Amino acid sequence: MAPSHQHYGLGTFSDGETEFAGLVAAEQVLRLQPDQLADGAATVRGLLEQWDDVRPQLPDLAARAAQYGIPLSRLDVLPPVQPIHIFQAGANYRSHVAEIIISGRADDDPRTADQLRSDAEAMMDERARKGSPFFFAGGLGDVRDR
């Protein structure tokens, strides 16, 4: 058995055909298989979600990566984790934020759309003066659709 490695990392990679989670040691990447370290598909997010079970297995796998892995230089390195939510700041998008506020109007809010817009724009102007941006959470589709 090869000695275990203490220096290694997890990442997401592409070989030009598929994307996969991998363990990197000594500039070599060991492709991780579904259910190899944790239940389900092998993704960095999945491994992190089951970290207490995954962590003890990594040093021995790192030794295998160092000996039998794919050279890191032959792979594209991708973002390790795909975000679930993205926090967006609308401080620079005054009219866009006003539209968000109007579209989210509560059913019992007596203000008209024009009043909501005016109130939203005043709020954005105040936030811009004080350096307090307007944050909202969105999914990946929200970012791609803009």
Side-chain angles (χ1 to χ4, degrees), residues 17-124:
E17 294 181 20
T18 60
E19 293 181 8
F20 59 92
L23 187 140
V24 184
E27 299 296 314
Q28 301 286 106
V29 179
L30 181 68
R31 183 187 299 248
L32 299 175
Q33 303 300 321
D35 299 316
Q36 181 178 6
L37 293 171
D39 294 336
T43 65
V44 174
R45 179 183 306 283
L47 297 173
L48 294 174
E49 287 171 351
Q50 299 179 54
W51 187 248
D52 289 342
D53 296 327
V54 168
R55 169 64 183 89
Q57 302 174 68
L58 296 179
D60 289 336
L61 281 178
R64 287 184 38 212
Q67 289 185 326
Y68 306 112
I70 304 164
L72 180 60
S73 62
R74 290 188 18 214
L75 300 171
D76 291 323
V77 179
L78 304 174
V81 177
Q82 292 296 320
I84 294 172
H85 296 287
I86 296 178
F87 290 97
Q88 304 169 45
N92 295 333
Y93 305 99
R94 186 174 182 259
S95 63
H96 182 65
V97 170
E99 290 299 323
I100 290 171
I101 290 172
I102 291 168
S103 69
R105 183 177 81 179
D107 291 336
D108 62 346
D109 191 331
R111 294 175 291 176
T112 66
D114 287 340
Q115 289 171 323
L116 277 171
R117 178 180 309 284
S118 177
D119 290 348
E121 289 173 349
M123 177 192 70
M124 292 306 299

